[in-house]
Coordinates of all heavy atoms in Angstrom, one line a residue:
M1 N 0.8 -1.2 0.0 CA 0.0 0.0 0.0 C 0.8 1.3 0.1 O 1.8 1.5 0.8 CB -0.9 -0.1 1.2 CG -2.0 1.0 1.1 SD -3.3 0.6 2.3 CE -2.7 1.4 3.9
A2 N 0.6 2.1 -0.9 CA 1.3 3.3 -1.0 C 0.9 4.3 0.0 O -0.2 4.6 0.2 CB 1.3 3.8 -2.4
E3 N 2.1 4.9 0.7 CA 1.7 5.8 1.7 C 1.7 7.2 1.1 O 2.7 7.4 0.4 CB 2.6 5.7 2.8 CG 2.1 5.1 4.0 CD 3.2 5.1 5.2 OE1 3.4 6.3 5.6 OE2 3.6 4.0 5.7
E4 N 0.7 8.0 1.3 CA 0.7 9.4 0.8 C 1.4 10.2 1.8 O 1.2 10.2 2.9 CB -0.7 9.8 0.6 CG -1.0 10.3 -0.7 CD -2.6 10.7 -0.7 OE1 -2.7 11.8 -0.5 OE2 -3.4 9.9 -1.3
K5 N 2.4 10.9 1.1 CA 3.1 11.9 2.0 C 2.6 13.2 2.0 O 2.5 13.8 0.8 CB 4.7 11.8 1.6 CG 5.4 10.8 2.2 CD 6.9 11.0 2.0 CE 7.6 9.9 2.6 NZ 9.1 9.9 2.4
K6 N 2.3 13.8 3.0 CA 1.6 15.1 3.1 C 2.8 16.1 3.2 O 3.7 15.8 3.9 CB 0.7 15.3 4.3 CG -0.7 15.0 3.8 CD -1.7 15.5 4.9 CE -1.5 14.9 6.2 NZ -2.5 15.5 7.3
K7 N 2.7 17.2 2.5 CA 3.7 18.2 2.7 C 3.6 18.8 4.0 O 2.6 19.4 4.3 CB 3.6 19.2 1.5 CG 5.0 20.1 1.6 CD 4.8 21.1 0.5 CE 6.1 22.1 0.4 NZ 5.7 23.4 0.8
A8 N 4.6 18.7 4.9 CA 4.5 19.2 6.3 C 4.5 20.8 6.2 O 5.2 21.3 5.4 CB 5.6 18.8 7.0
S9 N 3.6 21.3 7.0 CA 3.6 22.7 7.1 C 4.8 23.2 7.9 O 5.3 22.3 8.7 CB 2.4 23.2 7.9 OG 2.6 24.4 8.6
A10 N 5.3 24.4 7.6 CA 6.5 24.9 8.3 C 6.3 25.0 9.8 O 7.3 25.0 10.5 CB 6.9 26.2 7.6
L11 N 5.1 25.2 10.1 CA 4.7 25.3 11.5 C 4.0 24.1 12.1 O 3.2 24.2 13.0 CB 3.9 26.5 11.7 CG 4.5 27.9 11.6 CD1 3.5 29.0 11.7 CD2 5.6 28.1 12.7
D12 N 4.4 22.9 11.5 CA 3.8 21.6 12.0 C 4.2 21.4 13.6 O 5.3 21.5 13.9 CB 4.4 20.5 11.3 CG 3.2 19.9 10.6 OD1 2.1 20.2 10.5 OD2 3.5 18.6 10.0
G13 N 3.3 21.2 14.3 CA 3.6 20.9 15.8 C 3.4 22.2 16.6 O 3.6 22.1 17.8
A14 N 3.2 23.3 15.9 CA 3.0 24.6 16.8 C 1.7 24.4 17.6 O 0.7 23.9 17.1 CB 3.1 25.7 15.7
V15 N 1.7 25.1 18.8 CA 0.5 25.1 19.6 C 0.3 26.5 20.0 O 1.3 27.2 20.6 CB 0.7 24.2 20.8 CG1 -0.6 24.2 21.7 CG2 1.1 22.8 20.3
M16 N -0.9 27.0 20.0 CA -1.2 28.4 20.5 C -1.4 28.2 22.0 O -2.2 27.5 22.6 CB -2.5 28.8 19.8 CG -2.9 30.3 20.3 SD -1.5 31.5 19.9 CE -1.7 31.7 18.0
T17 N -0.7 29.1 22.8 CA -0.7 29.1 24.3 C -1.2 30.5 24.6 O -1.2 31.4 23.8 CB 0.7 28.7 24.8 OG1 1.6 29.9 24.5 CG2 1.2 27.4 24.3
A18 N -1.2 30.7 26.0 CA -1.7 32.0 26.5 C -0.6 33.0 26.3 O -0.8 34.2 25.9 CB -1.9 31.8 28.0
E19 N 0.7 32.6 26.1 CA 1.8 33.6 25.9 C 2.0 33.8 24.5 O 2.7 34.8 24.1 CB 3.2 32.9 26.4 CG 3.1 32.8 27.9 CD 3.0 31.3 28.2 OE1 3.8 30.4 27.9 OE2 2.0 30.9 28.7
G20 N 1.5 32.9 23.5 CA 1.7 33.3 22.3 C 1.8 31.8 21.4 O 1.6 30.7 22.1
L21 N 2.2 31.9 20.2 CA 2.3 30.6 19.5 C 3.6 29.8 20.0 O 4.8 30.3 19.7 CB 2.5 30.8 18.0 CG 2.4 29.5 17.1 CD1 1.1 28.8 17.2 CD2 2.7 30.0 15.6
S22 N 3.6 28.6 20.5 CA 4.7 27.9 21.0 C 5.2 26.9 19.8 O 4.3 26.1 19.3 CB 4.4 27.1 22.1 OG 5.3 26.3 22.6
F23 N 6.3 26.9 19.4 CA 6.9 26.2 18.3 C 8.3 25.7 18.8 O 9.3 26.7 19.0 CB 7.0 27.0 17.1 CG 7.3 26.2 16.0 CD1 6.8 24.9 15.6 CD2 8.5 26.5 15.1 CE1 7.2 24.2 14.4 CE2 8.8 25.9 14.0 CZ 8.2 24.7 13.6
K24 N 8.6 24.4 18.9 CA 9.8 23.9 19.3 C 10.5 24.6 20.5 O 11.7 24.9 20.5 CB 10.9 24.0 18.1 CG 10.5 23.2 16.8 CD 11.5 23.3 15.8 CE 11.0 22.4 14.6 NZ 11.9 22.7 13.4
G25 N 9.7 24.8 21.5 CA 10.2 25.4 22.7 C 10.2 26.9 22.8 O 10.7 27.4 23.8
F26 N 9.9 27.5 21.7 CA 10.1 29.0 21.6 C 8.6 29.6 21.5 O 7.6 29.0 20.8 CB 10.9 29.4 20.4 CG 12.3 29.0 20.4 CD1 12.8 28.0 19.8 CD2 13.2 29.9 21.2 CE1 14.1 27.6 19.9 CE2 14.6 29.5 21.2 CZ 15.0 28.3 20.6
I27 N 8.5 30.8 22.0 CA 7.3 31.5 21.7 C 7.5 32.4 20.5 O 8.3 33.3 20.5 CB 6.8 32.4 22.9 CG1 6.5 31.5 24.2 CG2 5.6 33.2 22.6 CD1 5.4 30.3 24.0
L28 N 6.6 32.2 19.4 CA 7.0 33.0 18.2 C 6.1 34.3 18.3 O 4.9 34.2 18.7 CB 6.5 32.2 17.0 CG 7.1 30.9 16.8 CD1 6.8 30.4 15.4 CD2 8.7 30.9 16.9
S29 N 6.7 35.3 17.7 CA 5.9 36.7 17.6 C 5.6 36.7 16.1 O 6.3 36.2 15.3 CB 6.8 37.8 18.0 OG 7.2 37.7 19.2
P30 N 4.5 37.4 15.8 CA 4.1 37.5 14.4 C 5.1 38.2 13.6 O 5.9 39.0 14.2 CB 2.7 38.3 14.5 CG 2.3 38.2 15.9 CD 3.5 38.0 16.7
V31 N 5.1 38.0 12.4 CA 6.2 38.7 11.5 C 5.8 40.1 11.3 O 4.8 40.6 11.6 CB 6.2 38.1 10.0 CG1 6.6 36.5 10.1 CG2 4.9 38.2 9.4
V32 N 6.8 40.8 11.0 CA 6.7 42.4 10.8 C 6.6 42.8 9.4 O 6.8 41.9 8.5 CB 7.9 43.1 11.5 CG1 7.9 42.9 13.1 CG2 9.3 42.7 10.9
E33 N 6.3 44.0 9.0 CA 6.1 44.4 7.7 C 7.5 44.1 6.8 O 7.2 43.8 5.6 CB 6.0 46.1 7.8 CG 5.2 46.5 6.6 CD 5.0 48.0 6.5 OE1 4.9 48.5 7.7 OE2 5.1 48.6 5.5
N34 N 8.4 44.2 7.3 CA 9.8 43.9 6.6 C 9.8 42.5 6.0 O 10.6 42.2 5.1 CB 11.0 44.3 7.4 CG 11.3 45.6 7.5 OD1 10.9 46.4 6.6 ND2 11.9 46.0 8.7
C35 N 9.1 41.7 6.7 CA 9.1 40.2 6.4 C 8.3 39.9 5.0 O 8.3 38.8 4.5 CB 8.7 39.3 7.5 SG 9.7 39.5 8.9
N36 N 7.4 40.9 4.7 CA 6.5 40.7 3.6 C 7.3 40.3 2.3 O 8.2 40.9 1.9 CB 5.7 41.9 3.2 CG 4.6 42.1 4.2 OD1 4.2 41.2 5.0 ND2 4.2 43.3 4.4
G37 N 6.9 39.0 1.8 CA 7.6 38.7 0.5 C 8.7 37.5 0.8 O 9.1 36.8 0.0
C38 N 9.0 37.3 2.2 CA 9.9 36.3 2.5 C 9.3 34.9 2.4 O 8.1 34.8 2.8 CB 10.4 36.6 4.0 SG 11.6 35.3 4.5
E39 N 10.0 34.1 1.9 CA 9.4 32.6 1.6 C 9.3 31.9 3.0 O 8.6 30.9 3.0 CB 10.3 31.8 0.8 CG 10.1 32.3 -0.6 CD 11.2 31.5 -1.6 OE1 11.8 30.5 -1.1 OE2 11.4 32.1 -2.7
R40 N 10.0 32.4 3.9 CA 9.8 31.6 5.3 C 8.6 31.9 6.0 O 8.3 31.2 7.0 CB 11.0 31.9 6.1 CG 12.4 31.5 5.4 CD 13.6 31.7 6.5 NE 14.7 31.9 5.7 CZ 15.6 30.9 5.5 NH1 15.3 29.7 5.9 NH2 16.7 31.0 4.8
V41 N 8.0 33.0 5.7 CA 6.7 33.4 6.5 C 5.6 32.2 6.3 O 5.5 31.6 5.2 CB 6.0 34.5 5.9 CG1 4.7 34.8 6.5 CG2 7.0 35.9 6.1
A42 N 5.0 31.9 7.5 CA 4.1 30.8 7.5 C 2.9 31.2 8.4 O 3.1 31.8 9.4 CB 4.7 29.5 8.2
A43 N 1.8 30.7 7.8 CA 0.5 31.2 8.5 C 0.0 30.2 9.5 O 0.2 29.0 9.2 CB -0.6 31.3 7.4
F44 N -0.5 30.8 10.6 CA -1.0 29.9 11.7 C -2.2 30.5 12.2 O -2.1 31.7 12.7 CB 0.0 29.6 12.8 CG -0.5 28.6 13.8 CD1 -0.1 27.3 13.5 CD2 -1.3 29.0 14.8 CE1 -0.7 26.3 14.5 CE2 -1.7 28.0 15.8 CZ -1.4 26.6 15.5
E45 N -3.4 29.9 11.9 CA -4.7 30.6 12.2 C -4.9 31.9 11.4 O -4.5 31.8 10.4 CB -4.9 30.6 13.7 CG -5.1 29.2 14.3 CD -5.4 29.3 15.9 OE1 -5.1 30.3 16.5 OE2 -5.5 28.1 16.4
D46 N -5.0 33.0 12.1 CA -5.3 34.2 11.3 C -3.9 35.1 11.3 O -4.0 36.2 10.8 CB -6.4 35.0 11.9 CG -6.2 35.4 13.3 OD1 -5.3 34.7 14.0 OD2 -6.9 36.2 13.8
K47 N -2.8 34.6 11.7 CA -1.6 35.5 11.8 C -0.5 34.7 11.1 O -0.6 33.5 10.8 CB -1.2 35.7 13.2 CG -2.1 36.5 13.9 CD -1.6 37.1 15.2 CE -2.4 38.2 15.8 NZ -2.5 38.0 17.2
T48 N 0.6 35.5 10.7 CA 1.7 34.8 10.0 C 3.0 34.9 11.0 O 3.2 35.9 11.6 CB 2.1 35.5 8.8 OG1 2.1 37.0 8.9 CG2 1.0 35.1 7.7
Y49 N 3.8 33.8 11.0 CA 4.9 33.7 11.9 C 6.1 33.4 11.0 O 6.0 32.8 9.9 CB 4.7 32.7 12.9 CG 3.5 33.0 13.9 CD1 2.2 32.7 13.5 CD2 3.6 33.8 15.0 CE1 1.1 32.9 14.2 CE2 2.7 34.1 15.8 CZ 1.3 33.8 15.5 OH 0.4 34.0 16.3
C50 N 7.3 33.4 11.7 CA 8.5 32.9 11.1 C 9.0 31.7 11.9 O 9.4 31.8 13.0 CB 9.6 34.1 11.1 SG 11.2 33.5 10.4
P51 N 9.0 30.5 11.2 CA 9.5 29.4 11.9 C 11.1 29.4 12.0 O 11.7 28.6 12.8 CB 9.2 28.2 10.8 CG 8.4 28.8 9.8 CD 8.6 30.3 9.8
T52 N 11.7 30.3 11.3 CA 13.1 30.3 11.5 C 13.6 31.2 12.7 O 14.6 30.9 13.2 CB 13.7 31.0 10.2 OG1 13.2 30.3 9.1 CG2 15.3 30.8 10.1
Y53 N 12.9 32.3 13.0 CA 13.4 33.3 13.9 C 12.1 33.7 14.8 O 11.1 34.1 14.3 CB 14.1 34.5 13.4 CG 14.9 35.2 14.4 CD1 16.1 34.7 14.7 CD2 14.4 36.4 14.9 CE1 16.8 35.3 15.7 CE2 15.1 37.1 15.9 CZ 16.4 36.5 16.3 OH 17.0 37.1 17.3
A54 N 12.2 33.5 16.0 CA 11.1 33.7 17.1 C 10.5 35.1 17.0 O 9.4 35.4 17.1 CB 11.4 33.2 18.3
E55 N 11.4 36.1 16.9 CA 11.1 37.5 17.0 C 11.5 38.3 15.8 O 12.5 39.0 15.9 CB 11.6 38.0 18.3 CG 11.1 37.3 19.5 CD 11.3 38.2 20.8 OE1 11.2 39.5 20.8 OE2 11.8 37.7 21.8
P56 N 10.8 38.2 14.7 CA 11.1 38.8 13.4 C 11.4 40.3 13.8 O 12.3 40.8 13.1 CB 9.9 38.6 12.7 CG 9.2 37.4 13.2 CD 9.5 37.5 14.6
A57 N 10.7 41.1 14.7 CA 10.9 42.5 14.8 C 12.4 42.7 15.2 O 13.0 43.7 14.8 CB 9.9 43.1 15.9
K58 N 12.9 41.9 16.2 CA 14.3 42.0 16.6 C 15.3 41.8 15.4 O 16.3 42.4 15.5 CB 14.6 41.1 17.8 CG 14.2 41.6 19.1 CD 14.8 40.8 20.2 CE 14.2 41.2 21.5 NZ 14.4 40.2 22.5
K59 N 14.9 40.9 14.6 CA 15.8 40.4 13.5 C 16.1 41.6 12.5 O 17.0 41.7 11.9 CB 15.2 39.3 12.8 CG 16.1 38.4 12.0 CD 16.9 37.6 12.9 CE 18.2 37.1 12.1 NZ 19.3 37.0 13.0
W60 N 15.2 42.5 12.7 CA 15.3 43.6 11.6 C 15.8 45.0 12.2 O 15.9 46.0 11.6 CB 13.8 44.0 11.0 CG 13.5 42.9 9.9 CD1 12.9 41.8 10.0 CD2 14.0 43.0 8.6 NE1 12.7 41.2 8.9 CE2 13.4 41.8 7.9 CE3 14.6 43.8 7.7 CZ2 13.5 41.6 6.5 CZ3 14.7 43.6 6.5 CH2 14.3 42.5 5.9
T61 N 16.0 45.0 13.6 CA 16.5 46.2 14.3 C 17.9 46.6 13.9 O 18.2 47.8 13.9 CB 16.3 46.1 15.8 OG1 17.2 45.0 16.2 CG2 14.9 46.0 16.3
R62 N 18.8 45.6 13.6 CA 20.1 46.1 13.2 C 20.4 45.9 11.6 O 21.4 45.2 11.3 CB 21.0 45.2 14.1 CG 20.8 45.6 15.5 CD 21.8 44.8 16.4 NE 23.2 45.0 16.0 CZ 24.2 44.2 16.3 NH1 23.8 43.0 17.0 NH2 25.4 44.4 15.9
G63 N 19.3 46.1 10.9 CA 19.5 46.0 9.4 C 18.7 44.8 8.9 O 17.7 44.4 9.4
I64 N 19.2 44.4 7.8 CA 18.4 43.4 7.0 C 18.5 42.0 7.7 O 19.5 41.6 8.1 CB 19.0 43.3 5.5 CG1 18.6 44.5 4.9 CG2 18.3 42.1 4.7 CD1 19.4 44.7 3.6
C65 N 17.4 41.3 7.8 CA 17.4 39.9 8.4 C 18.2 39.0 7.5 O 18.1 38.9 6.3 CB 15.9 39.4 8.4 SG 15.8 37.6 8.8
N66 N 19.1 38.4 8.2 CA 20.1 37.4 7.3 C 19.5 36.2 7.0 O 20.0 35.4 6.1 CB 21.4 37.2 8.1 CG 21.2 36.6 9.6 OD1 20.1 37.0 10.1 ND2 22.0 35.8 10.0
F67 N 18.2 35.9 7.4 CA 17.5 34.8 6.9 C 16.6 35.1 5.9 O 16.0 34.1 5.2 CB 16.8 34.0 8.0 CG 17.6 33.6 9.2 CD1 17.4 34.0 10.6 CD2 18.7 32.7 9.0 CE1 18.2 33.5 11.5 CE2 19.5 32.2 10.0 CZ 19.2 32.6 11.3
A68 N 16.3 36.3 5.5 CA 15.3 36.6 4.5 C 15.6 36.2 3.2 O 16.7 36.0 2.8 CB 15.2 38.2 4.4
T69 N 14.5 35.6 2.5 CA 14.7 35.1 1.2 C 14.5 36.2 0.1 O 14.7 36.0 -1.1 CB 13.8 34.0 1.0 OG1 12.5 34.3 1.2 CG2 14.1 32.8 1.9
H70 N 13.9 37.2 0.5 CA 13.4 38.2 -0.4 C 14.4 39.5 -0.5 O 14.1 40.3 -1.5 CB 11.9 38.8 -0.1 CG 11.8 39.3 1.2 ND1 12.4 38.7 2.3 CD2 11.3 40.5 1.7 CE1 12.1 39.7 3.4 NE2 11.4 40.6 3.0
V71 N 15.3 39.6 0.4 CA 16.2 40.8 0.3 C 17.6 40.1 0.6 O 17.7 39.3 1.5 CB 15.9 41.7 1.5 CG1 16.6 43.0 1.2 CG2 14.4 42.0 1.6
K72 N 18.6 40.6 -0.2 CA 19.9 40.2 0.1 C 20.8 41.3 0.5 O 20.7 42.4 0.0 CB 20.5 39.7 -1.2 CG 20.0 38.3 -1.6 CD 20.8 37.2 -1.0 CE 20.3 35.8 -1.2 NZ 19.2 35.4 -0.3
A73 N 21.4 41.1 1.7 CA 22.3 42.2 2.1 C 23.8 41.9 1.6 O 24.2 40.8 1.7 CB 22.3 42.2 3.6
T74 N 24.4 43.0 1.3 CA 25.8 42.8 0.9 C 26.7 43.6 1.8 O 26.2 44.7 2.3 CB 25.9 43.1 -0.6 OG1 25.5 44.5 -0.8 CG2 25.4 42.2 -1.5
V75 N 27.9 43.3 2.0 CA 28.8 44.1 2.8 C 29.8 44.8 2.1 O 30.6 44.1 1.4 CB 29.4 43.3 4.0 CG1 30.3 44.2 4.8 CG2 28.4 42.6 4.8
D76 N 29.9 46.1 2.0 CA 30.9 46.7 1.2 C 32.3 46.7 2.0 O 32.5 46.2 3.1 CB 30.5 48.2 0.9 CG 30.3 49.1 2.0 OD1 31.0 48.7 3.1 OD2 29.7 50.2 1.9
K77 N 33.3 47.4 1.2 CA 34.6 47.3 1.7 C 34.8 47.9 3.1 O 35.6 47.5 3.8 CB 35.5 48.1 0.7 CG 35.9 47.3 -0.6 CD 36.7 48.1 -1.4 CE 36.1 48.0 -2.9 NZ 36.3 49.3 -3.7
E78 N 34.0 48.9 3.5 CA 34.1 49.6 4.8 C 33.4 48.7 5.8 O 33.3 49.2 7.0 CB 33.5 51.0 4.7 CG 34.3 51.9 3.9 CD 33.7 52.8 3.1 OE1 32.5 53.2 3.4 OE2 34.1 53.1 1.9
G79 N 32.7 47.6 5.4 CA 32.1 46.9 6.4 C 30.5 47.3 6.6 O 29.9 46.7 7.6
K80 N 30.1 48.2 5.9 CA 28.8 48.6 5.9 C 27.8 47.7 5.1 O 28.2 47.4 4.1 CB 28.6 50.1 5.4 CG 29.1 51.2 6.3 CD 28.7 52.4 5.7 CE 29.3 53.6 6.5 NZ 29.2 54.8 5.8
T81 N 26.6 47.5 5.7 CA 25.7 46.5 5.0 C 24.9 47.5 4.0 O 24.6 48.5 4.3 CB 24.6 46.1 6.1 OG1 25.3 45.6 7.2 CG2 23.9 45.0 5.4
K82 N 24.8 46.9 2.8 CA 24.1 47.7 1.7 C 22.9 46.9 1.3 O 23.0 45.6 1.4 CB 25.1 47.8 0.5 CG 26.3 48.8 0.7 CD 26.8 49.2 -0.5 CE 27.3 48.2 -1.5 NZ 28.0 48.6 -2.5
V83 N 21.9 47.6 0.9 CA 20.7 47.0 0.4 C 21.0 46.4 -1.0 O 21.9 47.0 -1.6 CB 19.6 48.1 0.5 CG1 18.3 47.4 -0.1 CG2 19.3 48.6 1.9
N84 N 20.2 45.6 -1.5 CA 20.6 44.9 -2.7 C 20.5 46.1 -3.9 O 19.8 47.0 -3.7 CB 19.7 43.8 -3.0 CG 18.2 44.1 -3.4 OD1 17.9 45.3 -3.5 ND2 17.5 43.1 -3.6
P85 N 21.2 45.9 -4.9 CA 21.4 46.8 -6.0 C 20.0 47.3 -6.5 O 19.9 48.5 -6.9 CB 22.3 46.3 -7.0 CG 22.9 45.1 -6.3 CD 22.1 44.7 -5.3
L86 N 19.1 46.3 -6.8 CA 17.8 46.6 -7.3 C 17.0 47.7 -6.5 O 16.5 48.6 -7.0 CB 17.0 45.4 -7.6 CG 15.6 45.5 -8.2 CD1 15.9 45.9 -9.7 CD2 14.8 44.2 -8.2
K87 N 17.1 47.4 -5.2 CA 16.3 48.4 -4.3 C 17.2 49.8 -4.3 O 16.5 50.8 -4.3 CB 16.4 47.8 -2.8 CG 15.2 46.9 -2.6 CD 15.0 46.6 -1.1 CE 13.6 46.3 -0.9 NZ 13.2 46.4 0.6
A88 N 18.4 49.7 -4.3 CA 19.2 50.9 -4.3 C 18.9 51.8 -5.6 O 18.7 53.0 -5.5 CB 20.7 50.6 -4.3
S89 N 18.7 51.1 -6.7 CA 18.5 51.8 -7.9 C 17.1 52.4 -7.9 O 16.9 53.6 -8.4 CB 18.7 50.9 -9.2 OG 17.7 50.1 -9.5
K90 N 16.2 51.8 -7.3 CA 14.8 52.2 -7.3 C 14.8 53.3 -6.4 O 14.0 54.4 -6.5 CB 13.8 51.1 -6.6 CG 13.5 50.1 -7.8 CD 12.4 49.1 -7.1 CE 12.0 48.0 -8.1 NZ 11.4 47.0 -7.4
R91 N 15.4 53.2 -5.3 CA 15.6 54.4 -4.3 C 16.2 55.6 -5.0 O 15.7 56.7 -4.8 CB 16.4 53.9 -3.1 CG 15.9 54.6 -1.9 CD 16.5 54.0 -0.7 NE 15.8 52.9 -0.3 CZ 16.2 51.9 0.6 NH1 17.6 51.9 0.9 NH2 15.5 51.0 1.0
A92 N 17.3 55.4 -5.7 CA 17.9 56.5 -6.4 C 17.0 57.1 -7.6 O 17.0 58.4 -7.6 CB 19.2 55.9 -7.2
A93 N 16.2 56.4 -8.2 CA 15.2 56.8 -9.2 C 14.2 57.7 -8.5 O 13.7 58.7 -9.1 CB 14.6 55.7 -10.0
R94 N 13.9 57.4 -7.3 CA 12.9 58.3 -6.5 C 13.6 59.5 -5.9 O 12.9 60.4 -5.4 CB 12.2 57.5 -5.4 CG 11.2 56.5 -6.0 CD 10.4 56.0 -4.8 NE 11.4 55.3 -3.8 CZ 11.3 54.2 -3.3 NH1 10.1 53.5 -3.6 NH2 12.1 53.8 -2.5
G95 N 14.9 59.6 -5.9 CA 15.6 60.8 -5.5 C 15.9 60.7 -4.2 O 16.0 61.9 -3.6
R96 N 16.0 59.6 -3.5 CA 16.4 59.4 -2.1 C 17.7 58.9 -2.0 O 18.1 58.0 -2.7 CB 15.3 58.6 -1.4 CG 14.1 59.4 -1.1 CD 13.3 58.7 -0.1 NE 12.3 57.8 -0.7 CZ 11.8 56.8 0.1 NH1 12.1 56.6 1.3 NH2 11.0 56.0 -0.5
Ligands
SF4_1 S1 13.5 34.9 7.9 FE1 13.6 37.1 8.4 S2 12.5 38.2 7.0 FE2 12.0 36.0 6.7 S3 10.1 35.8 7.9 FE3 11.9 35.3 9.3 S4 12.3 37.1 10.3 FE4 11.1 37.9 8.5

């Protein structure tokens, strides 16, 4: 008998608790605006969470999230983080 394999959800095993969404021993916070477009975002009930990082808001406080799949950060010669060239050119076109 062939066993049907279901594609496991990224948040398989997550449980909603009084403190928030509990997943693998961590309490997950909902994703932030910067996460929009990231492939890691996973929905649970009516909210979206990041199975990779419990507190997405903190991940973005010091620049671009290094787990993000939709934005790539590069480091220039001076060690400064730069936004990807496509974003930079759009920003330049807008005069910022
Ligand atoms: S990997 Fe980073 S950008 Fe993607 S959902 Fe998680 S915190 Fe947000």
Side-chain angles (χ1 to χ4, degrees):
M1 195 164 79
E3 255 185 62
E4 232 181 85
K5 277 194 180 174
K6 269 198 295 176
K7 195 179 174 242
S9 155
L11 286 172
D12 240 10
V15 182
M16 189 53 81
T17 66
E19 300 101 69
L21 186 66
S22 174
F23 182 59
K24 292 183 180 172
F26 294 96
I27 298 295
L28 306 188
S29 298
V31 296
V32 291
E33 209 185 321
N34 285 331
C35 300
N36 287 342
C38 179
E39 284 172 18
R40 296 186 205 269
V41 173
F44 189 90
E45 292 175 354
D46 58 340
K47 289 192 177 140
T48 47
Y49 298 87
C50 173
T52 309
Y53 198 78
E55 293 196 46
K58 272 195 191 161
K59 204 71 196 146
W60 285 93
T61 53
R62 295 181 60 202
I64 294 166
C65 168
N66 58 324
F67 297 126
T69 60
H70 60 315
V71 196
K72 284 270 177 274
T74 51
V75 178
D76 67 12
K77 283 177 225 147
E78 289 135 36
K80 281 188 187 169
T81 310
K82 292 200 305 189
V83 180
N84 76 2
L86 184 63
K87 277 199 155 195
S89 77
K90 281 183 184 166
R91 214 170 268 162
R94 282 191 304 227
R96 284 198 269 160

